[in-house]
Amino acid sequence: MSKENMIPADEFCTRHNIEISFLNSVRQAGLIEITTIREAEYIHENQLNQLEKIVRFYYDLDINLEGIETVFQLLDRISELQEEVNELKNRLRFYEGFEFP
């Protein structure tokens, strides 16, 4: 596996002033994946936004990992519902164009 598009976990921790043990807890909770390459841990760049949100929720808002997991599940559900609403609006627009006897 290549280190391309990967951020060293220890560098992320240093930049955000957090302990590597926190990242391990987040990984154990199933909120992110950490890749090990030659005994060094890396985070894929596509997870950075979510991981930064997790750090803010945990440290700034004092939300525990179980709460953060719940927040992300709710946000995913809201996104699904928004997509469904958009699909239904599109269907409604389609049928509004017809004249019924």
Side-chain angles (χ1 to χ4, degrees), residues 12-76:
F12 179 88
C13 290
T14 301
R15 242 189 257 160
H16 290 83
N17 197 28
I18 61 173
E19 298 291 325
I20 194 75
S21 60
F22 174 72
L23 277 188
N24 290 325
S25 297
V26 172
R27 174 179 49 188
Q28 288 174 350
L31 295 171
I32 63 163
E33 291 181 21
I34 296 177
T35 303
T36 303
I37 303 173
R38 296 188 189 135
E39 298 184 29
E41 294 181 326
Y42 294 88
I43 304 159
H44 198 278
E45 68 181 13
N46 67 1
Q47 295 187 95
L48 286 180
N49 285 338
Q50 179 158 333
L51 185 52
E52 287 172 346
K53 286 178 188 176
I54 292 168
V55 169
R56 283 193 306 274
F57 286 159
Y58 189 83
Y59 289 101
D60 296 345
L61 300 177
D62 201 29
I63 301 173
N64 65 20
L65 291 178
E66 293 82 7
I68 293 169
E69 188 174 358
T70 301
V71 167
F72 280 117
Q73 288 172 354
L74 291 171
L75 290 172
D76 287 343

Side-chain angles (χ1 to χ4, degrees), residues 2-16:
S2 169
K3 291 190 242 180
E4 192 173 315
N5 301 327
M6 305 287 265
I7 311 308
D10 58 347
E11 184 178 313
F12 179 88
C13 290
T14 301
R15 242 189 257 160
H16 290 83

